[in-house]
Amino acid sequence: MNSVRVVCAHDCPDMCSLIAHVEDGKVVRVQGDPDHPYTAGFACGKVNRDADLVNSPDRIRTPLRRVGPKGSGQFEPIGWTEALDEITARWKAIIAESGPLALLGYAYSAHQGLMNRGLVNGLFHALGSSRLQAGTVCDTCCEASWDVTVGPVGGADPESVVHSDLVISWGADLAATNVHFWALAEEQKKKRGVPIVVIDPRRTRSARAADLHLPIRIGTDAALALGIMHILVRDNLADRAYIAGKTLGFDKVERDILPKFPPARVAEITGLAVQDIEKLAALYGRAKAALIRLGEGMTRLAHGGQALRAVTLLPGVSGHYAVKGGGALLLTAASCDLNYAAVRRPSGPAAARLVNHLRLGEALLTMSDPPIRALYVSANNPAVTCPEAHKVHRGLAREDLFTVVHDPFLTDTARYADIVLPAANYLETDDLYRAYGAYWMQWGRQAARPCGEARSNFDVAQALAKRMGLADRIFTLAPQQAAEELFKGATGPAAAADRARLFAGEPIHIAHDLDGQPFATPSGKLEFYSEQLARQGVSPVPDWEPDPIEVADAARWPLRLLTAPGYFQAHTAFSGVGFLRDREGKPFCVLHPEDAAKRGLADGAAVRLFNDRGEIGLVLRVSDEVQPGVVLVPGQRPTSESVSGTINMLCSDRYTDMGEGATYQSTYLDVGPWTGAQQAAE
């Protein structure tokens, strides 16, 4: 048996170093790398089963051509040459008739390798096609909010938690989504008594293990953060020297905003007890090195940018950004400043028509001059993950839309394709990785032969580029040679990385220290007042107020949606593992016992979730892990596994206040008995 150091390519901030055990060219076991300081010898419960994923009997083994109606999943096998020739012939004909803007490439997060994700985008950039404004379903709101507050730099190093004296997990279930940081935090709790606070509408696994759990009302995080600032000022716990020297505009916030958020009003807004708000403020104000781990979920609603902005500013009032083990951490990728354009933008026009990721359905149905006539999807499943999923399905069902899907599995999206190409799993590819929740960069080696005729995203992008007549050098390079291009023109710590060690397979820590570092805002300071936001017509200082559309929807619908990653099925990338599907159970929703009793609904029953956008069917779990008035739907699951449909059929494609992001948590609905079971079966 052979052991190969690889890197987890799933969409997770930890991006673990792993050991793949290989026998006769087949991965038989995956485990955490015991020699990596952060991975620390263990992997999460999902990745521990990645040998099952790469060897799944459900893998696509050959290219396929559609022979039935779109969406039916009826295909016949074809050869690679035939498939690639057909794709490029169709693309060339469309370009000749409508121009390159009639093409859309859609590559996203299922493979986090910089080569396998980046070169597909590079292909379509060079072709001059319409461009996906990627990430709006996920992180553009939180990134935009962070950037106007702190600047495009990474936050605190998660490994600096060994110096923290308070850890706050705000809007993140770290036991599910950032397990190695969670392990470090729990270790500090056991060793040094460091308290852990979890602020989350749901009583998650992390919340159950915390010293203090605040079950905040969805969408009120900004009010809580401003209430804590109010108390810090009231009790003389604000670091006035830090505020004067390192921040901009706090005087406006102190004068105009904080008086509106005394503890009693904050309690009314958030649903929290006054004593708990006071307790949190006292803990935070007296801490010397408090570390806030920010979750992205709090930004996936109408005023999500203001929510994250207010929380991000808290360490500016306390001065914790200046100390090791203090401050805030959102995403670390901004501090790994590689020359990404070498792979993602090798040539092509500087600007082209954009398609917002979360409005794919709208674009497929209504975009004109020219309409989108060809769609290429890799490393994502938009038929499940995009809001207004009904629109996505209708768009994909267009007979005049030539769709190619490159994926290891026959996903909901792939069932609508004209051509399906079998994709290699990350364990079957070479690639370069940089974590987005830690300061590590690694080269991941191919551990096993690709399943059947599967080929990597990188390989197929190069093959299509050659057939389309693109002459950019990047389309001729081997993966490691292409990765070397990222370092040409790189700046900061990434430019100084020892590439010989890196490409030999040694994880490289990216030197990073925000302590005392100037912020990367226009003023060089932490910006309580943002001129950028003022120019955009957004409140330049952090604030909280009810969203009028949410207020109107709440008057019509009694329940508010909370979405969160599932513990064993966070998204459809893990659907190929039967063990994990069984552990997670059928796609389900969670109601508080009071809400279930009002509706006469029993645990385990099939239930109907509905609003103006439609209805879906899920299995009900009754639990007080959520508050009354909330319906929790964990994970992004294939429609084939649910009673009927997917939760994103009920979510609007409305934008957030910053970053044009998705507003999943601004969804209101109701739940009742499922009456369409026979119809769904037919």
Side-chain angles (χ1 to χ4, degrees):
M1 186 178 296
N2 185 32
S3 296
V4 183
R5 175 181 271 158
V6 297
V7 183
C8 176
H10 293 295
D11 189 0
C12 170
D14 288 8
M15 203 156 286
C16 298
S17 178
L18 304 171
I19 302 297
H21 299 280
V22 183
E23 193 170 284
D24 296 328
K26 178 179 178 180
V27 175
V28 296
R29 183 187 172 204
V30 173
Q31 68 176 107
D33 180 358
D35 296 326
H36 192 284
Y38 192 54
T39 302
F42 73 96
C44 71
K46 299 182 289 293
V47 172
N48 275 331
R49 309 296 303 199
D50 269 2
D52 294 345
L53 183 67
V54 74
N55 297 313
S56 171
D58 298 328
R59 292 279 301 271
I60 301 169
R61 283 167 164 73
T62 68
L64 304 171
R65 179 193 285 121
R66 179 170 65 91
V67 294
K70 286 200 171 188
S72 67
Q74 298 176 52
F75 297 94
E76 65 179 6
I78 58 173
W80 268 103
T81 299
E82 186 178 0
L84 295 175
D85 285 348
E86 181 171 341
I87 292 167
T88 51
R90 292 288 297 272
W91 285 359
K92 288 176 181 178
I94 290 170
I95 291 171
E97 295 171 6
S98 303
L101 293 180
L103 274 60
L104 176 65
Y106 184 120
Y108 193 49
S109 61
H111 195 309
Q112 288 286 321
L114 297 179
M115 301 298 101
N116 280 284
R117 179 174 172 180
L119 198 63
V120 178
N121 292 319
L123 166 67
F124 287 93
H125 198 284
L127 288 172
S129 71
S130 294
R131 292 174 188 161
L132 187 73
Q133 185 184 348
T136 56
V137 297
C138 183
D139 54 22
T140 57
C141 179
C142 66
E143 284 189 334
S145 175
W146 176 270
D147 288 353
V148 298
T149 307
V150 177
V153 294
D157 190 331
E159 295 174 72
S160 73
V161 73
V162 297
H163 303 288
S164 303
D165 60 1
L166 172 65
V167 175
I168 301 176
S169 171
W170 200 314
D173 183 5
L174 299 177
T177 61
N178 202 180
V179 65
H180 293 90
F181 175 75
W182 178 248
L184 280 174
E186 283 200 305
E187 183 180 7
Q188 302 315 304
K189 177 182 174 180
K190 292 174 184 175
K191 283 184 176 179
R192 302 189 288 115
V194 175
I196 298 176
V197 177
V198 170
I199 302 169
D200 198 299
R202 177 190 184 191
R203 193 174 72 251
T204 61
R205 292 184 179 181
S206 309
R208 290 196 291 269
D211 298 279
L212 176 64
H213 171 221
L214 299 183
I216 191 169
R217 191 170 286 147
I218 299 168
T220 63
D221 301 271
L224 178 58
L226 293 167
I228 295 171
M229 292 184 199
H230 176 105
I231 296 170
L232 295 178
V233 169
R234 183 198 69 189
D235 295 350
N236 296 315
L237 293 172
D239 187 333
R240 293 293 178 177
Y242 185 86
I243 290 170
K246 299 292 184 180
T247 75
L248 174 71
F250 181 72
D251 56 332
K252 296 180 178 64
V253 174
E254 185 174 14
R255 181 185 67 240
D256 300 334
I257 304 298
L258 298 188
K260 300 190 297 183
F261 294 95
R265 180 170 186 250
V266 172
E268 291 176 4
I269 294 169
T270 62
L272 303 173
V274 168
Q275 56 265 38
D276 284 339
I277 296 167
E278 293 277 6
K279 182 177 181 180
L280 173 60
L283 277 171
Y284 190 74
R286 295 192 179 104
K288 302 301 181 186
L291 178 56
I292 301 175
R293 181 60 170 100
L294 296 157
E296 299 169 41
M298 77 172 88
T299 70
R300 294 173 188 147
L301 41 78
H303 290 170
Q306 287 290 17
L308 188 119
R309 184 161 149 71
V311 181
T312 301
L313 285 165
L314 263 180
V317 181
S318 62
H320 288 145
Y321 276 119
V323 296
K324 190 174 291 296
L329 168 62
L330 175 66
L331 303 169
T332 62
S335 288
C336 186
D337 194 12
L338 296 167
N339 178 22
Y340 298 107
V343 173
R344 300 174 186 172
R345 299 189 296 276
S347 64
R353 183 173 67 177
L354 293 178
V355 173
N356 188 298
H357 194 157
L358 71 90
R359 289 189 174 171
L360 175 67
E362 185 73 15
L364 293 178
L365 292 172
T366 66
M367 192 163 273
S368 59
D369 196 26
I372 296 171
R373 297 181 56 193
L375 174 69
Y376 183 93
V377 179
S378 69
N380 204 238
N381 190 7
V384 172
T385 59
C386 286
E388 302 265 13
H390 280 305
K391 290 183 182 179
V392 178
H393 293 188
R394 291 201 304 272
L396 291 172
R398 282 174 39 202
E399 281 295 334
D400 63 336
L401 177 69
F402 177 64
T403 300
V404 179
V405 174
H406 187 202
D407 200 278
F409 297 95
L410 193 66
T411 63
D412 285 42
T413 306
R415 295 175 70 85
Y416 286 92
D418 295 282
I419 300 288
V420 180
L421 304 175
N425 176 280
Y426 77 93
L427 292 165
E428 300 164 335
T429 62
D430 290 323
D431 216 321
L432 180 67
Y433 301 86
R434 58 103 182 93
Y436 66 84
Y439 290 98
W440 289 93
M441 184 161 48
Q442 303 176 73
W443 176 252
R445 290 169 50 205
Q446 177 181 340
R449 296 186 297 268
C451 170
E453 297 178 24
R455 293 168 66 172
S456 71
N457 299 345
F458 181 88
D459 180 40
V460 174
Q462 289 190 326
L464 290 169
K466 182 178 180 180
R467 280 173 165 78
M468 294 300 293
L470 297 177
D472 306 276
R473 181 171 173 268
I474 197 73
F475 296 120
T476 67
L477 301 179
Q480 183 174 329
Q481 293 174 316
E484 290 274 9
E485 297 296 304
L486 294 177
F487 292 92
K488 297 177 181 179
T491 61
D498 187 331
R499 297 206 293 279
R501 290 168 50 209
L502 175 69
F503 289 113
E506 182 177 343
I508 300 295
H509 191 261
I510 304 168
H512 171 77
D513 191 355
L514 190 62
D515 311 338
Q517 174 182 327
F519 296 100
T521 55
S523 66
K525 296 183 177 183
L526 183 71
E527 294 198 353
F528 284 84
Y529 179 90
S530 169
E531 187 62 39
Q532 295 179 68
L533 291 180
R535 289 194 299 269
Q536 297 167 17
V538 178
S539 173
V541 292
D543 203 350
W544 180 89
E545 58 183 17
D547 176 69
I549 296 177
E550 288 183 1
V551 171
D553 284 349
R556 298 182 59 224
W557 301 99
L559 299 172
R560 184 167 188 168
L561 176 66
L562 176 64
T563 59
Y567 288 111
F568 298 100
Q569 291 287 289
H571 39 62
T572 61
F574 293 101
S575 296
V577 182
F579 174 85
L580 295 177
R581 290 198 307 270
D582 292 343
R583 286 294 303 272
E584 188 77 8
K586 286 283 188 181
F588 64 93
C589 65
V590 180
L591 277 180
H592 188 274
E594 290 180 14
D595 288 324
K598 284 179 187 176
R599 293 161 174 79
L601 301 174
D603 189 90
V607 293
R608 171 179 174 249
L609 286 72
F610 61 97
N611 61 16
D612 287 337
R613 295 179 192 91
E615 67 174 22
I616 67 167
L618 299 174
V619 174
L620 176 64
R621 293 188 186 177
V622 179
S623 170
D624 63 359
E625 69 184 276
V626 296
Q627 299 292 303
V630 172
V631 56
L632 165 70
V633 178
Q636 302 274 353
R637 307 289 296 278
T639 56
S640 60
E641 295 177 13
S642 67
V643 174
S644 178
T646 175
I647 189 58
N648 285 329
M649 292 176 172
L650 308 185
C651 298
S652 166
D653 60 7
R654 182 186 176 200
Y655 288 159
T656 52
D657 53 347
M658 302 176 199
E660 296 187 341
T663 53
Y664 301 111
Q665 321 289 15
S666 289
T667 302
Y668 289 81
L669 67 160
D670 203 352
V671 177
W674 175 253
T675 57
Q678 183 61 41
Q679 180 181 358
E682 294 173 355

